[in-house]
């Protein structure tokens, strides 16, 4: 995930993108300079750090600090093209990405983002992660608000800006030979049931929860919002003409959010810039959280402690991504990205299996975790087998290495998933002849 998300963000920073839109019923074309996105992203992180220090060392209420940060952020987004142009004319020419080699500039931003990941991973949570999360959540809520408002105002008529361009159903098989089941559920990924979120919940969220009753609005509420974000992300694709050039993920999202916001009365240029920055903010959150979680796991496995131990563990976590991003062409992660959705959903399935075992052993209701666990295990196991077969069919002189690596990954994931399910069944059988443990009292996390 670090490789993929760093490369996607770096590409957003490095490209000079042209958007073909429909404004007021008329076609319009305008460009977004990657440097403007860099300005917005830098301000996002800088304001997050400032908010962290303000909340920690002053008596200012968090709502006042957040309001001020959001207002400043909106002003920066509004003026980001002019700020980027000024910086390009005063010693930072790469802030004007027009005419630059996007591939080479992407490689530079890749490494810069990994440096950010290193700093963010070892920084105290109050300094960056928590205030950035609050500001990032504001972007999320704003995107959802304008999405709903634009939908209600624009409607889903057959001729409007939000007219759905794709048929509701095109058959059980895709053009790539993939069956709707299980790949529909694999493609939705984080918007439905996310294994990565389970790692976040155990790695960072659980360490910040004050009491058990706070878990439901945090975890369940967050997944409902994630599902809503997924619906609007799909909507951004649904309103694109099938014959149009797909573009990059950030461009598709920004164009869609721009349409929604423009129908709610927001200037289109600001709306698209907001969409690109919102996309970047989501990716930023994922990038440094991935790095932090990798650091946690390595420190637990190796016993490394303190700031020095955290720095070493972070460097080890980032060594692989840094080497891959330096030696591979920009965007090459897509070769292996096809297996990510399945691995993410498999992790979700195994998390549900583990939770189901714990719930049953402690005498708690188990069906609400066991039922989706069974569905997820079957879906991901089927997807891994079909992925393996698909990679095998592509095996040949042109794609031998890529196909072989993906086949090995699919096989290893299948075996590891089967091992966890086997262990869960073994524990269940043992518990049938042993007394069930009494319910555990969960104490508040300090």
């Amino acid at each position: 995930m670090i490789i993929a998300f760093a490369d996607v963000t770096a590409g957003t920073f490095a490209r000079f993108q042209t958007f073909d839109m429909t404004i007021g019923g008329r076609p319009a074309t305008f460009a977004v300079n990657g440097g403007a996105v860099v300005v917005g992203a830098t301000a996002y992180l800088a304001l997050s750090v400032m908010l962290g220090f303000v909340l920690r060392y002053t008596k200012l209420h968090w709502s006042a600090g957040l309001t001020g940060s959001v207002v400043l952020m909106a002003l920066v987004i509004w003026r980001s093209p002019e700020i980027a142009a000024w910086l390009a004319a005063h010693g930072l020419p790469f802030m004007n990405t027009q005419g630059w080699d996007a591939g080479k500039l992407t490689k530079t931003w890749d490494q810069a983002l990994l440096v950010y990941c290193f700093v963010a991973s070892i920084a105290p949570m109050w300094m960056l992660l928590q205030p950035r999360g609050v500001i990032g959540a504001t972007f999320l809520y704003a995107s959802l608000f304008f999405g709903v408002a634009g939908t209600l105002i624009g409607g889903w008529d057959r001729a409007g800006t939000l007219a759905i361009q794709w048929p509701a159903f095109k058959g059980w098989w895709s053009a790539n030979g993939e069956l709707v089941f299980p790949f529909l559920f694999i493609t939705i990924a984080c918007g439905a049931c996310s294994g990565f979120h389970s790692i976040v919940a155990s790695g960072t969220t659980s360490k910040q929860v004050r009491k058990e009753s706070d878990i439901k609005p945090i975890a369940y509420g967050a997944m409902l919002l994630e599902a809503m974000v997924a619906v609007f992300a799909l909507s951004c694709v649904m309103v694109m003409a099938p014959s149009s050039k797909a573009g990059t993920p950030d461009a598709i999202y920004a164009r869609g959010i721009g349409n929604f916001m423009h129908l709610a009365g927001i200037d289109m240029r600001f709306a698209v810039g907001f969409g690109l920055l919102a996309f970047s903010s989501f990716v930023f959150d994922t990038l440094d959280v991935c790095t932090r979680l990798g650091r946690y796991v390595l420190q637990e496995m190796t016993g490394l402690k303190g700031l020095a131990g955290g720095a070493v563990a972070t460097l080890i976590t980032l060594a692989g991504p840094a080497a891959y991003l330096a030696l591979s062409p920009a965007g090459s992660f897509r070769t292996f990205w096809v297996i990510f959705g399945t691995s993410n959903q498999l992790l979700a399935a195994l998390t549900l299996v583990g939770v189901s075992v714990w719930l049953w052993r402690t005498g708690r209701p188990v069906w609400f975790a066991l039922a989706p666990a069974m569905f997820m295990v079957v879906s991901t196991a089927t997807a891994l087998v079909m992925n393996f077969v698909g990679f095998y069919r592509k095996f040949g002189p042109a794609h031998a290495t890529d196909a072989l690596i993906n086949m090995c990954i699919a096989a290893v994931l299948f075996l590891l998933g089967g091992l966890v399910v086997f262990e869960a069944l073994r524990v269940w059988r043992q518990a049938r002849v042993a007394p069930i443990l009494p319910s555990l009292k969960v104490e508040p996390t300090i």
Side-chain angles (χ1 to χ4, degrees), residues 80-122:
S80 58
E82 290 80 3
I83 297 173
W86 186 89
L87 291 172
H90 291 80
L92 298 176
F94 58 87
M95 294 299 287
N96 181 7
T97 54
Q98 188 174 19
W100 280 72
D101 186 323
K104 292 182 179 179
L105 195 54
T106 297
K107 306 296 286 184
T108 302
W109 280 118
D110 279 335
Q111 300 304 319
L113 286 170
L114 293 183
V115 172
Y116 158 76
C117 287
F118 173 80
V119 175
S121 174
I122 61 176

Side-chain angles (χ1 to χ4, degrees), residues 227-298:
M228 193 172 182
V229 171
V231 169
F232 280 110
L234 290 172
S235 300
C236 293
V237 178
M238 289 158 54
V239 298
M240 291 182 61
S243 59
S244 64
K245 184 179 179 181
T248 57
D250 57 307
I252 295 172
Y253 184 79
R255 184 187 291 111
I257 292 298
N259 274 329
F260 287 120
M261 294 181 68
H262 182 65
L263 289 170
I266 307 298
D267 177 77
M268 182 63 84
R269 293 181 183 276
F270 175 86
V272 172
F274 176 87
L276 286 172
L277 187 56
F279 183 91
S280 297
S281 70
F282 301 153
V283 174
F284 264 123
D285 293 357
T286 306
L287 262 178
D288 60 51
V289 169
C290 276
T291 310
R292 184 179 289 267
L293 291 172
R295 172 173 73 82
Y296 285 165
V297 172
L298 279 175

Side-chain angles (χ1 to χ4, degrees), residues 63-97:
S63 60
L66 176 60
T67 301
S69 300
V70 170
V71 171
L72 289 173
M73 193 73 250
L75 291 174
V76 170
I77 295 173
W78 181 259
R79 306 304 298 180
S80 58
E82 290 80 3
I83 297 173
W86 186 89
L87 291 172
H90 291 80
L92 298 176
F94 58 87
M95 294 299 287
N96 181 7
T97 54

Side-chain angles (χ1 to χ4, degrees), residues 56-409:
R56 187 170 182 85
Y57 294 110
T58 72
K59 295 183 179 180
L60 185 69
H61 194 269
W62 69 268
S63 60
L66 176 60
T67 301
S69 300
V70 170
V71 171
L72 289 173
M73 193 73 250
L75 291 174
V76 170
I77 295 173
W78 181 259
R79 306 304 298 180
S80 58
E82 290 80 3
I83 297 173
W86 186 89
L87 291 172
H90 291 80
L92 298 176
F94 58 87
M95 294 299 287
N96 181 7
T97 54
Q98 188 174 19
W100 280 72
D101 186 323
K104 292 182 179 179
L105 195 54
T106 297
K107 306 296 286 184
T108 302
W109 280 118
D110 279 335
Q111 300 304 319
L113 286 170
L114 293 183
V115 172
Y116 158 76
C117 287
F118 173 80
V119 175
S121 174
I122 61 176
M125 296 186 73
W126 62 264
M127 184 185 297
L128 178 60
L129 190 146
Q130 289 175 330
R132 191 210 58 215
V134 174
I135 298 177
T138 305
F139 279 107
L140 171 65
Y141 295 139
S143 299
L144 296 179
F145 171 79
F146 286 115
V148 173
T151 302
L152 294 176
I153 294 171
W156 294 92
D157 59 272
R158 295 186 178 182
T161 305
L162 299 184
I164 297 176
Q165 303 290 326
W166 293 82
F169 183 71
K170 294 189 66 176
W172 293 104
W173 295 87
S174 73
N176 297 326
E178 296 172 340
L179 188 61
V180 169
F181 176 85
F183 290 103
L184 172 64
F185 310 100
I186 301 305
T187 302
I188 295 174
C190 293
C193 184
S194 173
F196 175 70
H197 289 181
S198 68
I199 301 179
V200 174
S202 60
T204 59
T205 306
S206 61
K207 296 176 174 60
Q208 303 175 73
V209 175
R210 183 174 52 185
K211 56 183 185 295
E212 187 177 3
S213 59
D214 289 340
I215 294 175
K216 185 179 291 186
I218 292 173
Y220 184 61
M223 276 313 303
L224 289 178
L225 286 173
E226 183 81 10
M228 193 172 182
V229 171
V231 169
F232 280 110
L234 290 172
S235 300
C236 293
V237 178
M238 289 158 54
V239 298
M240 291 182 61
S243 59
S244 64
K245 184 179 179 181
T248 57
D250 57 307
I252 295 172
Y253 184 79
R255 184 187 291 111
I257 292 298
N259 274 329
F260 287 120
M261 294 181 68
H262 182 65
L263 289 170
I266 307 298
D267 177 77
M268 182 63 84
R269 293 181 183 276
F270 175 86
V272 172
F274 176 87
L276 286 172
L277 187 56
F279 183 91
S280 297
S281 70
F282 301 153
V283 174
F284 264 123
D285 293 357
T286 306
L287 262 178
D288 60 51
V289 169
C290 276
T291 310
R292 184 179 289 267
L293 291 172
R295 172 173 73 82
Y296 285 165
V297 172
L298 279 175
Q299 286 191 267
E300 290 174 359
M301 292 174 60
T302 61
L304 293 170
K305 298 184 183 297
L307 181 61
V312 171
T314 302
L315 289 173
I316 296 173
T317 301
L318 294 175
Y324 182 89
L325 290 170
L327 300 175
S328 303
S332 60
F333 71 89
R334 293 182 177 87
T335 303
F336 310 104
W337 187 249
V338 292
I339 203 72
F340 166 77
T342 309
S343 62
N344 181 60
Q345 301 304 80
L346 176 64
L347 185 56
L350 300 183
T351 300
L352 288 168
V353 168
V355 170
S356 298
V357 172
W358 179 80
L359 289 170
W360 187 77
R361 290 292 303 272
T362 55
R364 300 168 186 244
V366 68
W367 65 267
F368 68 91
L370 183 59
M374 295 171 64
F375 176 80
M376 295 291 292
V377 167
V378 172
S379 298
T380 52
T382 305
L384 285 171
V385 171
M386 295 182 71
N387 271 324
F388 185 91
V389 173
F391 297 138
Y392 176 77
R393 289 174 177 172
K394 293 179 181 179
F395 196 88
H399 306 286
T401 302
D402 297 344
L404 181 61
I405 293 175
N406 278 319
M407 287 168 61
C408 292
I409 294 174

